[in-house]
Amino acid sequence: MTRSLVLFAVVALATVTAAQAPSNARPDPRTIRLRGDRFRPLTYDEMTPAQRTMIDHVLAGPRGSVDGPFNVQLRSPEMGDLGQQFGASTRFATTVPRKLYELAIIVTARHWTAQFEWTAHRRGAVQAGISPAVADAIAAGRRPSGMPPDEEAVYNFASELLETKQVSDATFAAAKTLLGERGVVELINVMGWYGTVSMFLNVDRYPLPEGTQPELKPLK
């Protein structure tokens, strides 16, 4: 009798715990709502098998969203699937701290005036520890003041690479000291991927979320 009560209590506790745990259920792909402008948003039911495979992989991955370049990438789904996996790895399988890769992303978004990318990742950068004042300076096309040394090393590397198409010995050495050779390569990877994303979004004229205004003004 006692063993039965203990077993019942364990099962009941497990049931309650499972009910209280956050749901990690994968979204039903038929309920997703892709967005776009020049590239018409596709529905899951009209996708080809290769397109469905790509979207299934996005939904099974770490992002939890189909906002961004995926509706564009569906037009070349085999490349798009490889691309989205690479893009996920630049954020979720990197040795670069989140604060620093988000900084590199917003520098890249500012370079391309990619409005959706900026809106999404400015929020991510501030959440990760980037000062709003630093983000505001980048948005205005100014060099931020008062950056800590790690942010300054990444900002210098990213902005110099985008503006001059190379980096000086001093800038490379500072990035390598901070991140190691692997981290430098991963920093280039995240910038390269989000440069590609910027082109997808800008060519598509990808819409901002409803009620959101563009934050970036053209740079002179």
Side-chain angles (χ1 to χ4, degrees):
M1 182 68 172
T2 301
R3 291 180 61 187
S4 298
L5 289 173
V6 170
L7 179 60
F8 175 82
V10 170
V11 171
L13 179 60
T15 302
V16 171
T17 301
Q20 292 176 342
S23 173
N24 293 319
R26 176 181 161 195
D28 182 347
R30 287 183 170 79
T31 67
I32 63 171
R33 294 293 181 267
L34 294 168
R35 296 187 296 126
D37 184 347
R38 285 173 166 161
F39 292 90
R40 180 179 63 83
L42 300 178
T43 65
Y44 191 78
D45 287 339
E46 69 182 303
M47 292 179 194
T48 66
Q51 290 172 329
R52 290 184 179 186
T53 295
M54 178 190 145
I55 285 296
D56 289 344
H57 288 168
V58 172
L59 293 174
R63 293 183 182 89
S65 170
V66 291
D67 284 338
F70 308 117
N71 182 63
V72 178
Q73 291 179 275
L74 283 171
R75 271 58 187 192
S76 178
E78 294 83 5
M79 283 189 183
D81 199 10
L82 292 171
Q84 70 82 16
Q85 292 176 57
F86 172 74
S89 73
T90 67
R91 290 172 58 199
F92 304 109
T94 180
T95 60
V96 178
R98 183 187 175 200
K99 178 183 77 163
L100 300 181
Y101 73 66
E102 291 286 3
L103 175 60
I105 292 171
I106 62 173
V107 171
T108 304
R110 171 64 278 189
H111 177 79
W112 283 95
T113 314
Q115 299 287 358
F116 177 83
E117 184 175 306
W118 173 268
T119 298
H121 287 280
R122 182 197 186 280
R123 181 174 63 250
V126 171
Q127 289 174 347
I130 297 296
S131 164
V134 168
D136 290 344
I138 293 170
R142 301 192 311 268
R143 178 182 178 83
S145 60
M147 290 182 288
D150 59 344
E151 293 175 22
E152 187 171 27
V154 168
Y155 176 85
N156 288 346
F157 187 96
S159 59
E160 192 173 314
L161 181 55
L162 290 168
E163 292 168 11
T164 73
K165 303 178 179 62
Q166 55 187 331
V167 294
S168 67
D169 287 343
T171 297
F172 177 81
K176 180 180 173 182
T177 298
L178 175 66
L179 301 172
E181 289 187 344
R182 174 174 175 170
V184 171
V185 170
E186 291 174 352
L187 184 61
I188 298 168
N189 283 343
V190 75
M191 292 175 61
W193 171 246
Y194 278 92
T196 301
V197 170
S198 296
M199 288 188 278
F200 284 140
L201 299 176
N202 286 356
V203 170
D204 183 36
R205 298 185 303 213
Y206 190 80
L208 290 169
E210 187 174 350
T212 303
Q213 296 299 315
E215 297 181 21
L216 300 178
K217 297 179 180 179
L219 296 177
K220 296 180 181 180

